Amino acid sequence: MNAVNETKTAISNRVESSFDLFNLPDAYYEDPTPFFRDLRDNDPMHWNSDGSLLLTRYEDIKTVWRDLSGLVSREEAYTKKFGQGPLLEHHTTSMLFRDPPDHDRLRDIVNPFFTQSSIERLRTTVQDIVAGLLDEMASKDEVEFVAEFASRIPIQLICNIFGVPQEDGPLIRDLGAQVLVPLNPAVSQEAIAAGHEATRKFKEYLLVHINTWRALPAEDVPTNIISALVAAERRGDAISENEMVHICILVLNGGHETTTNLLGLSTLALLRNPDQFALLAGDPAIVGPGVEECLRFVTPLQLQGRRTTREVVIPSGVIPPNTEVIIAQASANRDDRIFIDPDKLDLARRPNPHLAFGAGIHVCLGRPLARLEAGVALPELARRFPKMTLAGQPVFNRNTRFRSLQSMRVKLY
Ligand code: HEM
């Protein structure tokens, strides 16, 4: 028996979980933790009904992320799922779904905007945005936290980095959500159609800005991402107009969706652990490790995908070639084989080798920005509203890939 068949036999001898990624119960959206714990303990290589493999253990996921770093192209799977059109074009052209050398060529153009030192220059801007929002909230007893705080910081910042008007924030959020929803494992035909249409409108919107920069004299040092892409085109770098547009959609979406969810879900976790919320208000030294712990605990981007082109050996077994692999980093970050007391929010946790930003060549480009936003916003919130509490139950979106709050009402005093 070869290694692949041995692994499949070994797995079939285990008690397979009835977990169905394509038909999840309501309880999963409230809290996926018990589902992932069961999979990690009893069925760490779980074969989904569509033939894909779901991995939930930390060491398996880390191995796949590093080993298959350069194997993200989804051309075949996404053509089947989305059909031809702008949505397919986006999810096969942006660098997230490109392998080297194309991935590296595209990432190099936008990378200078996301280095630690470039992002650090935005600290005062972030502080001003946060202070302004907290001032606005201070006159009310109760607020809708996602709409009035969590979603507003990332979108303002990403519009700033792109040099597009702040008033376009709601449009960008709306189009972005429709482009991202179809990445979920189970998705309706209506959502796919909406995704195609939103991508088409997004392209149209971005081309107006790209053409504005094209018509202006060359900048010595590009001041925003769109002008940097235009500068690369002028220099004769290998970049097509489609690649320019899709890199913008990817970074715009990355820039607000996950960070909004980090701010909302972290605040929820802190309000459920008031001792930790108080710590954040009083101790500046806790902010660095505290943000890492929030990232681990809530893991805003919960699932990723890879496709094997060869046999891949992981600690739990062997993955056959040509397998669609779904990585559940949300589960890896709660694996008690790595983290002591993983379901406890412990802002002082060290070490904290979480996988919230991924690993390998696609490791999150915007991680310094997400860390800066959370590192400014969460402690300021705890200082300004130390008595903040939940007002009713939060409502979660039915989104498996991007764990997110639809709404969360909070009392401020
Ligand atoms: C808490 C916030 C965030 C989380 C949890 C997060 C998570 C991730 C993860 C897990 C990946 C790897 C995907 C993979 O390997 O398939 C990734 C990639 C990426 N992220 Fe983030 N992200 C966050 C914030 C941001 C921000 C603020 C931006 C941009 C402003 C951004 C832009 C990107 C881009 C462009 C990639 C693709 C990188 C590549 O393919 O080389 N992300 N992110």
Side-chain angles (χ1 to χ4, degrees), residues 190-210:
E190 290 74 38
I192 290 174
H196 280 299
E197 181 55 12
T199 313
R200 191 191 61 72
K201 287 189 186 151
F202 223 152
K203 286 180 68 173
E204 222 171 69
Y205 169 83
L206 286 161
L207 274 172
V208 171
H209 288 281
I210 289 172

Side-chain angles (χ1 to χ4, degrees), residues 209-219 223-224 227 230-231 234:
H209 288 281
I210 289 172
N211 286 331
T212 305
W213 281 101
R214 277 173 171 156
L216 293 171
E219 291 178 293
T223 49
N224 63 60
S227 67
V230 169
R234 276 204 183 111

Side-chain angles (χ1 to χ4, degrees), residues 55-72 74 96-97 99 103 107 299-308 310 312-315 319 325-333 353-364 401:
L55 298 180
T56 45
R57 283 192 185 171
Y58 184 96
E59 289 298 351
D60 291 338
I61 287 172
K62 199 166 169 187
T63 306
V64 165
W65 233 325
R66 291 200 183 284
D67 250 50
L68 299 185
S69 211
L71 297 170
V72 292
R74 277 297 173 302
L96 182 57
F97 295 108
D99 295 326
H103 164 269
R107 185 159 170 142
T299 314
L301 189 43
Q302 305 239 300
L303 308 173
Q304 291 308 129
R306 292 292 186 268
R307 183 164 199 94
T308 57
R310 54 181 161 75
V312 177
V313 179
I314 58 172
I319 311 174
V325 184
I326 300 180
I327 303 170
Q329 63 262 37
S331 170
N333 283 344
H354 68 76
L355 295 175
F357 287 129
I361 63 164
H362 292 274
V363 67
C364 178
R401 201 170 152 117

